Amino acid sequence: MDLEQQFTEVARRGSMLLLISLILDQYGLMNLPSREINTGRSVGVTFVLLGMIMELWLTPSFTNTSNAKVNVASNLSAIKSTPIGTILFML
């Protein structure tokens, strides 16, 4: 299994763990105290999932390390061209 497949597997398992933990908390399964899914928890899980997706899609995949700077620069310019990227790079 190559590195990209491993990243995908980790992201898939991590997202499933987040969703399962929300379900366990919502219904109080496994003798846990019941905690309602509120806006804050939903936003937090959404940000974690978006971070995983961005890490998978925007991580350069290359075999030749001499191309690393070019790939990173092109990824940064792609991020800056998105609405979220313009906000992040203004800070």
Side-chain angles (χ1 to χ4, degrees):
M1 184 182 292
D2 67 342
L3 192 59
E4 189 172 332
Q5 289 174 335
Q6 290 175 357
F7 283 148
T8 305
E9 186 66 22
V10 168
R12 186 182 63 80
R13 289 182 183 190
S15 60
M16 289 305 297
L17 284 173
L18 282 171
L19 296 175
I20 289 171
S21 69
L22 281 176
I23 293 169
L24 288 175
D25 282 349
Q26 174 70 25
Y27 298 109
L29 302 175
M30 296 175 54
N31 293 327
L32 294 171
S34 179
R35 291 175 38 191
E36 187 176 316
I37 298 175
N38 57 18
T39 306
R41 294 181 74 206
S42 300
V43 169
V45 168
T46 303
F47 278 138
V48 170
L49 292 175
L50 285 175
M52 281 194 259
I53 290 169
M54 287 177 65
E55 181 68 26
L56 285 173
W57 283 349
L58 299 177
T59 301
S61 58
F62 49 85
T63 54
N64 187 357
T65 56
S66 64
N67 294 331
K69 290 182 181 179
V70 174
N71 288 336
V72 170
S74 66
N75 282 342
L76 282 176
S77 64
I79 294 170
K80 287 180 183 178
S81 65
T82 63
I84 294 176
T86 55
I87 293 170
L88 289 175
F89 284 100
M90 283 190 330
L91 302 176

